[in-house]
Amino acid sequence: DAKTTQPNSMESNEEEPVHLPCNHSTISGTDYIHWYRQLPSQGPEYVIHGLTSNVNNRMASLAIAEDRKSSTLILHRATLRDAAVYYCILTTQGGSEKLVFGKGTKLTVNP
Amino acid sequence: NAGVTQTPKFRILKIGQSMTLQCAQDMNHNYMYWYRQDPGMGLKLIYYSVGAGITDKGEVPNGYNVSRSTTEYFPLRLELAAPSQTSVYFCASNRRRGVSYNEQFFGPGTRLTVL
């Protein structure tokens, strides 16, 4: 599976938008981009995923660069509950469902 | 639905002891996974199963065994516990149909300490 690169940490203020970047320059045409997050002392939870087009759901938006070598997870209005480690993960369409977790980005949300 | 449940929540083992970490899911998912997470690190896949009776190794399988006799349960067995197995263990599951992606659901974890 192709590798992803994320900043170690980011900080935001409550009720402001947050843009979490992810670089995946070796992504292949059949790789999905997934985002999971892990709240303190909990198991990871799914946030969003996409292949080529931008995606929106009730939790977040995923903006995918035209060349697919990077993507951005957008939290439109950060809340204290959004403080977590966010993981950007690639998997191959039709391939294994195995998720390979890096260290992710630790998001701190200030009140 | 209870989702993915794990027992116990915490456990302390002595070196050389054995134990089984329990995992159950009530979502009729065909795929199940075991991960471990060391402090400050991401999760690493230990074993996974694509259905009852079928298991395969992940990235870090040494020192562990699994079995899956039913869809619902996927226990993880530690034989001869070592301090290097001190970690938080997460079980996960999802439904796989064709090539479409279905999110993994994770349990709350089991915190294991080996002294």
Side-chain angles (χ1 to χ4, degrees):
Chain A
D1 292 313
K3 189 175 175 181
T4 63
T5 304
Q6 299 177 253
N8 289 334
S9 62
M10 291 185 66
E11 209 166 314
S12 173
N13 296 320
E14 203 175 5
E15 298 190 5
E16 289 184 356
V18 181
H19 290 232
L20 296 163
C22 181
N23 287 320
H24 28 78
S25 57
T26 59
I27 192 171
S28 75
T30 55
D31 284 345
Y32 277 102
I33 303 159
H34 308 267
W35 285 84
Y36 280 74
R37 72 179 185 181
Q38 187 173 21
L39 303 173
S41 300
Q42 293 189 27
E45 64 176 350
Y46 167 82
V47 178
I48 201 167
H49 79 279
L51 186 60
T52 56
S53 304
N54 294 345
V55 185
N56 300 300
N57 67 20
R58 63 176 179 81
M59 288 182 71
S61 296
L62 176 60
I64 302 172
E66 199 168 328
D67 64 4
R68 300 186 74 236
K69 293 186 176 182
S70 65
S71 60
T72 302
L73 179 69
I74 302 167
L75 307 178
H76 296 286
R77 288 185 69 205
T79 68
L80 297 178
R81 196 196 172 275
D82 291 322
V85 177
Y86 287 79
Y87 297 98
C88 171
I89 302 167
L90 303 183
T91 63
T92 301
Q93 183 183 25
S96 163
E97 294 280 318
K98 294 181 283 186
L99 299 176
V100 179
F101 288 79
K103 291 188 178 182
T105 297
K106 183 175 182 179
L107 176 65
T108 300
V109 180
N110 300 313
Chain B
N1 287 351
V4 179
T5 56
Q6 293 183 238
T7 55
K9 285 188 168 52
F10 304 94
R11 182 74 185 267
I12 297 175
L13 282 182
K14 293 182 180 177
I15 294 172
Q17 287 185 319
S18 300
M19 77 165 291
T20 299
L21 282 68
Q22 301 293 345
C23 174
Q25 53 91 9
D26 61 358
M27 298 172 282
N28 199 31
H29 287 169
N30 50 347
Y31 277 52
M32 295 187 75
Y33 313 80
W34 274 106
Y35 296 87
R36 60 175 285 176
Q37 184 175 33
D38 298 331
M41 306 295 287
L43 283 70
K44 292 188 177 180
L45 183 66
I46 305 172
Y47 271 97
Y48 68 103
S49 169
V50 303
I54 306 170
T55 63
D56 205 351
K57 296 177 180 178
E59 186 183 355
V60 289
N62 291 344
Y64 307 94
N65 279 301
V66 293
S67 60
R68 188 150 177 227
S69 56
T70 67
T71 300
E72 296 80 10
Y73 301 102
F74 189 40
L76 177 72
R77 177 84 178 157
L78 276 73
E79 304 282 1
L80 298 175
S84 60
Q85 293 178 304
T86 294
S87 191
V88 181
Y89 292 82
F90 292 101
C91 180
S93 72
N94 69 344
R95 179 173 294 125
R96 175 82 183 272
R97 286 200 202 104
V99 299
S100 65
Y101 179 75
N102 292 286
E103 64 187 273
Q104 289 189 21
F105 292 83
F106 285 79
T110 293
R111 186 175 296 274
L112 175 68
T113 302
V114 181
L115 300 174

